[in-house]
């Protein structure tokens, strides 16, 4: 039978079934590679450590440091040292701070067509641009993969996106993914893998493919991928990695569960307006809006092309006096390339007054460069959730580097076609400067490695099994599309506390209600209510771990985002959805909720569970989307508690 590329790679890694089951059923996949970044990595490795293994079991695993780079206190630096020592002890590659953003470096130096990659960061799908199945997950799932365990996820549907035509001048991969977001919305990819194919796909430069796969995360997709072709080979050659190339592609005429077609020739520059990546319009519709900041960078758009085109637009000119323009090279390799190339890209950028930042996530995650109050910032990034920039009332727009640089020059949102300058095609060089001396390979003498654990690294909290009856008040009722940035904010103040759960839990849901942590303590925990697509956005497991620490026992919503749902289960919080969505309207904060015989009910996997609102005197029916495996995890109190329970059985 003719197969999609997705099905080929999934089949080759399937360990749970003899063949691929129908969409929705849980599958277990063998994981070839893992990546972590520092903000999720510390917790992932603390969890791996608690499993008591001597070494990792994956083919290649890389620990990156790119998020917590503002060292305003000892915390981040402590975490970096811990991560370096863990890598040495267990056999991982360690990408030192300064080497670049995980997704940019991974595609340059490690990604392999046809392989699976699991990363504790939601933008791990970036490497789908090379033709791999690259998925984001919580840190605990990475720890399990490092221990050689399969990764479990619902069998996705496959959306086949046929790309025809060719992008016009000044139109980029960013505009392709913004068009996808405009059509499908931030929920449209949930439970799906997006596979691009067709002449148009082959015409796309590799940097555009990475941008499109990266921002597939904003569609809520499990991952996105392109076939591996001559462009992929040329890229791997330019990285001196042609030996890693594999010709992987879909069979001609294979079927897809769903279809989308985009004619690249018809696209024009697009922009996502505040505060959601799917709030997309043509740049010309908002052109003329005054801006205070423009930023080119992040794992979405910080390639050689992206900096090169910015330099071209700003060549021999200076950034508008009302604008602060930041530029981030995605990796040390990109940085070195722009410093050495014949166009004098770096010199042009310095000349223009651009504020050049170190190769890290930086402003994308609110690590510095917060825009002025109430102002507009145009960014080449992937997320524009309210408050994420570090300024609560800033209005963040998302657009291509071309649009960002044009806007920086003019001081107002500008379609790059309206600059009136000739188009320049910035090509990837045939050879990149390949020097891996900022990546420390696994050491052979592991016996003498000591783990370095500074005072910021607190022990993992332990959680008990699910009680027979679950009861508690509604701590908070929320609307649709609540992001993990609402549940557990990031930014310079909160991120340094990622390895300190008691401290970070004080920030849980404060963006929605500043009194939430206090109320959790006063009311002795309870349950939370949410709308559609609850927990969209990042992979941060702290958005489950911290609520669990505060005593949240159940999260009852209209629908969940994939990674957050998995994280709730990993930490023993009961996830449930309303059978009748209208019931959502009748529940209020402070209502007393009870699930009688929750343990027995869940163990017997009923179709629905009865939830009683004793304040209102009503019964609701809810369902918990649990597989048999997940049921065991919830009953035990989470994945680590389950692993311990099973290990104790063997000892006994
Ligand atoms: C993000 O873009 O929100 C992050 C920060 O990269 C997160 C990971 C984290 O919270 O550490 C993600 O996307 O998974
Ligand atoms: Fe870093 Fe931003 Fe990419 Fe997240 S989205 S990995 S914070 S650059």
């Amino acid at each position: 039978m003719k197969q999609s590329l997705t099905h080929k790679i999934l089949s080759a890694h399937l360990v749970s079934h003899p063949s691929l089951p129908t969409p929705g059923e849980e599958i277990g996949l063998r994981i070839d590679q893992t990546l972590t970044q520092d903000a999720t990595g510390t917790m992932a490795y603390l969890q791996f450590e608690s499993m008591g293994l001597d070494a990792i079991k994956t083919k290649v695993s890389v620990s990156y440091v790119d998020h917590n780079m503002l060292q305003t206190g000892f915390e981040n630096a402590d975490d970096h040292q811990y991560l370096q020592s863990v890598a040495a002890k267990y056999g991982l590659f360690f990408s030192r701070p300064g080497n670049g953003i995980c997704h940019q470096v991974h595609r340059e130096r490690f990604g392999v067509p046809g392989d699976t990659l699991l990363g504790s960061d939601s933008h791990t799908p970036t490497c789908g641009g090379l033709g791999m199945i690259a998925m984001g997950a919580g840190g605990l799932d990475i720890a399990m993969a490092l221990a050689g365990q399969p990764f479990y996820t619902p069998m996705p549907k496959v959306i086949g996106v046929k790309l025809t035509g060719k992008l016009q001048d000044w139109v980029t991969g960013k505009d392709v993914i913004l068009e996808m977001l405009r059509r499908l919305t931030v929920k449209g990819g949930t439970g799906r893998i997006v596979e691009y194919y067709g002449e148009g796909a082959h015409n796309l430069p590799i940097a555009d493919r990475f941008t499109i796969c990266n921002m597939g995360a904003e569609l809520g997709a499990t991952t996105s991928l392109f076939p591996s072709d001559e462009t992929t080979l040329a890229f791997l050659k330019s990285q001196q990695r042609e030996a890693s190339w594999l010709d992987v592609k879909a069979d001609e005429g294979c079927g897809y569960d769903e279809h989308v077609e985009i004619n690249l020739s018809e696209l024009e520059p697009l922009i996502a307006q505040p505060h959601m990546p799917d709030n997309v319009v043509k740049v010309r519709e908002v052109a003329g809006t005054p801006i205070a900041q423009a930023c080119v960078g992040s794992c979405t758009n910080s390639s050689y092309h992206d900096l090169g085109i910015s330099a071209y637009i700003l060549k021999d000119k200076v950034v508008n006096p009302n604008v602060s323009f930041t530029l981030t090279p995605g990796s040390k390799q990109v940085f070195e390339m722009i410093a050495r190339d014949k166009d004098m890209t770096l010199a042009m950028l310095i000349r223009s007054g651009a504020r050049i930042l170190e190769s890290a996530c930086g402003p994308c995650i609110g690590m510095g460069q917060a825009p002025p109050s109430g102002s507009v910032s145009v960014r080449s990034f992937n997320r524009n959730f309210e408050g994420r920039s570090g300024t609560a009332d800033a209005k963040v727009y998302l657009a291509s580097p071309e649009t960002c640089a044009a806007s920086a020059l003019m001081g107002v949102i500008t379609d790059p076609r309206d600059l009136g300058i000739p188009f320049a095609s910035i090509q990837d060089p045939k050879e990149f400067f390949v020097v891996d001396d900022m990546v420390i390979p696994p050491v052979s003498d592991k016996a003498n490695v000591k783990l370095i654990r500074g005072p910021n690294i607190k022990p993992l909290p332990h959680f008990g099994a699910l009680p027979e009856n679950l009861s508690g008040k509604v701590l908070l009722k929320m609307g649709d599309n609540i992001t993990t940035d609402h549940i557990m904010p990031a930014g310079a103040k909160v991120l340094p506390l990622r390895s300190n759960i008691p401290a970070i839990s004080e920030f849980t849901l404060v963006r929605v209600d500043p009194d939430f942590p206090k109320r959790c303590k006063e009311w002795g925990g309870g349950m939370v209510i949410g709308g559609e697509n609850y927990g969209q956005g990042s992979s941060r497991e702290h958005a489950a771990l911290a609520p669990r620490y505060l005593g949240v026992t159940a999260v009852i919503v209209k629908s969940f985002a994939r990674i957050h749902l998995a994280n709730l289960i990993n930490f023993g919080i009961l996830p449930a959805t309303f059978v009748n969505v209208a019931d959502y309207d009748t529940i209020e904060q402070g209502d007393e909720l009870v699930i009688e015989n929750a343990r027995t009910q869940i163990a017997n996997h009923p179709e629905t569970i009865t939830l009683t609102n004793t304040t209102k005197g009503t019964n609701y029916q809810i369902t918990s989307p649990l597989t048999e495996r997940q049921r065991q995890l919830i009953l035990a109190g989470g994945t680590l508690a389950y692993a311990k329970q099973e290990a104790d059985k063997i000892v006994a």
Side-chain angles (χ1 to χ4, degrees):
M1 211 177 78
K2 291 178 174 169
Q3 276 191 308
S4 62
L5 176 54
T6 303
H7 280 187
K8 285 186 187 179
I9 305 179
L10 290 181
S11 301
H13 290 84
L14 192 67
V15 292
S16 54
H17 293 69
S19 61
L20 291 174
T22 50
E25 202 173 308
E26 186 177 76
I27 52 171
L29 296 171
R30 182 169 45 78
I31 296 300
D32 299 315
Q33 303 193 345
T34 66
L35 70 78
T36 55
Q37 38 88 342
D38 47 332
T40 53
T42 44
M43 199 43 69
Y45 297 116
L46 284 169
Q47 291 166 147
F48 179 75
E49 262 194 78
S50 79
M51 294 174 190
L53 300 176
D54 294 340
I56 57 158
K57 303 237 162 95
T58 39
K59 281 205 254 178
V60 169
S61 286
V62 192
S63 172
Y64 291 93
V65 179
D66 53 3
H67 280 61
N68 289 345
M69 302 281 279
L70 275 189
Q71 291 161 223
T72 52
F74 63 93
E75 294 87 350
N76 293 341
D78 276 10
D79 286 357
H80 301 171
Q81 274 192 335
Y82 168 71
L83 291 169
Q84 184 165 349
S85 67
V86 164
K89 189 167 172 62
Y90 295 110
L92 292 95
F93 288 89
F94 180 70
S95 172
R96 294 168 59 189
N99 196 42
I101 307 176
C102 55
H103 310 303
Q104 176 74 28
V105 178
H106 208 85
R107 75 206 210 185
E108 290 168 353
R109 308 303 309 140
F110 294 100
V112 172
D115 269 8
T116 51
L117 164 68
L118 195 68
S120 60
D121 192 280
S122 64
H123 291 102
T124 304
T126 312
C127 277
L130 290 173
M132 66 193 307
I133 294 274
M135 296 165 290
L140 186 47
D141 285 325
I142 309 306
M144 300 299 279
L146 287 170
Q149 296 298 312
F151 173 60
Y152 294 97
T153 193
M155 173 67 200
K157 287 186 179 164
V158 186
I159 309 183
V161 181
K162 184 173 177 188
L163 299 179
T164 60
K166 206 167 186 306
L167 293 173
Q168 296 180 41
D169 291 353
W170 299 109
V171 185
T172 69
K174 183 68 150 217
D175 304 303
V176 178
I177 189 63
L178 288 172
E179 172 65 8
M180 285 289 287
L181 279 153
R182 190 185 70 77
R183 293 196 198 180
L184 272 64
T185 80
V186 290
K187 294 188 296 197
T190 318
R192 290 159 172 82
I193 289 184
V194 186
E195 181 171 321
Y196 294 87
Y197 71 100
E199 242 350 89
H202 287 289
N203 287 339
L204 280 178
I206 196 100
D208 281 336
R209 301 182 191 185
F210 291 128
T211 299
I212 293 169
C213 290
N214 174 288
M215 250 184 119
E218 278 51 66
L219 292 167
T222 304
T223 191
S224 305
L225 77 170
F226 275 80
S228 156
D229 58 10
E230 313 72 52
T231 306
T232 324
L233 175 61
F235 173 73
L236 289 171
K237 253 193 195 148
S238 72
Q239 294 287 345
Q240 296 172 17
R241 293 207 297 126
E242 59 266 44
S244 299
W245 185 70
L246 206 66
D247 179 12
V248 289
K249 55 174 175 301
D251 294 327
E252 190 82 41
C254 69
Y256 291 102
D257 298 306
E258 289 165 12
H259 299 270
V260 172
E261 186 165 334
I262 298 181
N263 182 349
L264 299 179
S265 319
E266 287 171 1
L267 287 183
E268 56 179 290
L270 298 174
I271 191 163
Q273 307 179 93
H275 297 284
M276 277 292 152
D278 60 1
N279 193 7
V280 174
V281 294
K282 290 179 183 159
V283 174
R284 279 184 178 155
E285 287 177 46
V286 289
T289 309
I291 68 165
Q293 187 187 53
C295 306
V296 169
S298 92
C299 57
T300 327
N301 276 108
S302 53
S303 65
Y304 178 75
H305 163 273
D306 299 336
L307 282 107
I309 195 72
S310 305
Y312 171 73
I313 290 171
L314 288 157
K315 193 172 175 179
D316 297 329
K317 300 180 196 94
V318 76
V319 168
N320 184 279
N322 300 323
V323 179
S324 168
F325 183 42
T326 77
L327 268 150
T328 309
S331 64
K332 175 172 170 278
Q333 189 186 71
V334 170
F335 215 157
E336 200 167 348
M337 289 298 302
I338 60 165
R340 289 174 183 255
D341 68 7
K342 63 174 180 10
D343 296 333
M344 298 207 294
T345 302
L346 183 58
M348 287 305 140
L349 292 170
I350 295 171
R351 163 85 185 72
S352 75
R355 300 174 65 180
I356 296 155
L357 307 178
E358 67 173 328
S359 293
C361 299
C364 176
I365 193 58
M367 272 286 178
Q369 304 296 335
S373 295
S375 67
V376 170
S377 173
V378 188
R379 301 172 161 209
S380 74
F381 305 170
N382 46 36
R383 291 188 173 142
N384 58 348
F385 304 145
E386 209 166 356
R388 181 175 160 104
S389 65
T391 304
D393 58 0
K395 299 178 203 66
V396 176
Y397 289 70
L398 306 173
S400 66
E402 283 78 350
T403 300
C404 293
S407 307
L409 182 65
M410 304 309 290
V412 293
I413 294 180
T414 304
D415 183 320
R417 296 172 301 175
D418 297 335
L419 284 174
I421 58 172
F423 174 69
S425 156
I426 308 284
Q427 306 282 353
D428 258 357
K430 290 219 161 16
E431 280 174 36
F432 279 93
F433 288 103
V434 176
V435 190
D436 282 329
D437 51 8
M438 285 289 279
V439 176
I440 303 177
V443 295
S444 45
D445 179 19
K446 297 207 210 61
N448 293 324
V449 178
K450 269 211 155 53
L451 288 181
I452 308 175
R453 221 185 294 269
N456 189 42
I457 299 171
K458 296 280 181 276
L460 283 177
H462 291 289
F463 303 122
L466 185 81
E468 183 55 23
N469 294 316
L470 267 192
S471 63
K473 284 189 182 161
V474 174
L475 291 159
L476 188 62
K477 181 175 171 185
M478 293 163 275
D480 291 346
N481 289 325
I482 289 292
T483 70
T484 49
D485 278 275
H486 290 107
I487 307 171
M488 177 46 69
K493 199 166 142 204
V494 187
L495 273 175
L497 305 173
R498 284 286 180 93
S499 37
N500 183 344
I501 301 305
I504 206 169
S505 67
E506 293 298 328
F507 294 90
T508 311
L509 279 163
V510 292
R511 283 226 177 114
V512 183
D513 180 347
D515 292 332
F516 183 81
K518 197 165 120 236
R519 195 173 320 122
C520 287
K521 284 181 219 148
E522 282 170 9
W523 293 2
M527 305 188 194
V528 298
I529 306 293
E532 300 280 5
N533 201 21
Y534 183 79
Q536 69 157 325
S538 108
S539 68
R540 62 190 72 144
E541 60 191 348
H542 299 75
L545 188 43
R548 173 80 208 249
Y549 183 80
L550 291 176
V552 173
T553 54
V555 175
I556 305 161
V557 301
K558 293 183 186 169
S559 67
F560 286 104
R562 173 187 67 92
I563 306 180
H564 188 61
L565 172 64
N567 284 336
L568 289 173
I569 298 167
N570 274 344
F571 293 99
I573 294 184
L574 180 70
T577 53
F578 293 100
V579 172
N580 178 4
V581 273
D583 289 342
Y584 166 90
D585 300 328
T586 68
I587 301 188
E588 281 172 296
Q589 183 175 314
D591 285 358
E592 191 74 51
L593 301 180
V594 185
I595 305 177
E596 297 273 4
N597 305 325
R599 229 191 132 73
T600 313
Q601 286 203 60
I602 287 161
N604 293 335
H605 44 87
E607 291 255 299
T608 63
I609 300 170
T610 304
L611 170 73
T612 306
N613 185 335
T614 51
T615 311
K616 301 268 159 61
T618 343
N619 280 341
Y620 310 115
Q621 292 306 306
I622 54 173
T623 50
S624 191
L626 301 175
T627 62
E628 186 47 42
R629 186 187 63 85
Q630 292 170 330
R631 218 180 304 287
Q632 298 308 323
L633 304 182
I634 287 286
L635 291 172
T639 302
L640 281 181
Y642 177 73
K644 182 161 186 316
Q645 171 193 301
E646 293 305 290
D648 289 349
K649 274 192 206 156
I650 296 167
V651 175

